[in-house]
Amino acid sequence: GHWDFAKGHVEAAESEEQTARRELEEEPTIRRVQVLPGFRYEYVYEFGGKGGRATRSKRVTFMLARTDEQDVRISHEHKGARWVPYSAAMKLVTFENARHMQQAAEEFLRANHGLVSGKFRAE
């Protein structure tokens, strides 16, 4: 019942970028990706437990990437995926920390328009 961005655990000997690429391929089956340099956003959140008491914490790191893929096939772990404009995504995502990350990404993209105005090239 929550909308959020693709994320997952780093596997042995993986870089953050390798993890991001693997998670994009596993969860929404996005294979053609161009990672944009210069943006990295990290936060820690707590979860689990009863009565509002967290039992575990998780650190997540986000990067920005481009793709020319339109169709995605979600894994068994998820119930849906969709492409939406920034304003709709700000209303759609469930968690405040995801909105903060998304706002930082939007500000970065506005300040670095040249990163996305050029020709797409999958890496």
Side-chain angles (χ1 to χ4, degrees):
H2 299 290
W3 283 97
D4 204 354
F5 297 96
K7 57 184 176 275
H9 293 32
V10 176
E11 293 184 356
E14 260 185 346
S15 69
E16 288 178 339
E17 184 175 323
Q18 288 169 327
T19 300
R21 289 175 178 280
R22 179 180 49 76
E23 289 295 332
L24 284 173
E25 189 168 333
E26 288 176 1
E27 293 181 2
T29 63
I30 297 173
R31 293 179 177 91
R32 293 179 42 82
V33 173
Q34 177 186 357
V35 175
L36 303 177
F39 182 84
R40 184 177 185 278
Y41 190 95
E42 182 178 292
Y43 61 78
V44 176
Y45 67 94
E46 297 178 340
F47 61 99
K50 295 184 180 184
R53 298 187 71 193
T55 59
R56 296 182 5 186
S57 65
K58 184 175 185 179
R59 178 183 61 88
V60 292
T61 304
F62 291 93
M63 293 165 270
L64 287 172
R66 297 168 59 174
T67 185
D68 60 355
E69 294 185 44
Q70 297 290 318
D71 298 321
V72 297
R73 280 176 261 121
I74 58 170
S75 73
H76 68 280
E77 299 174 18
H78 303 91
K79 294 183 180 181
R82 65 173 83 157
W83 297 108
V84 296
Y86 171 74
S87 60
M90 285 297 280
K91 294 174 186 170
L92 189 61
V93 294
T94 304
F95 303 108
E96 189 69 24
N97 51 16
R99 280 191 286 282
H100 288 297
M101 181 277 298
Q102 188 175 331
Q103 183 176 7
E106 178 71 6
E107 290 169 5
F108 176 84
L109 290 171
R110 288 184 187 274
N112 297 278
H113 185 335
L115 287 175
V116 293
S117 63
K119 183 178 171 139
F120 171 76
R121 60 182 198 290
E123 298 167 350

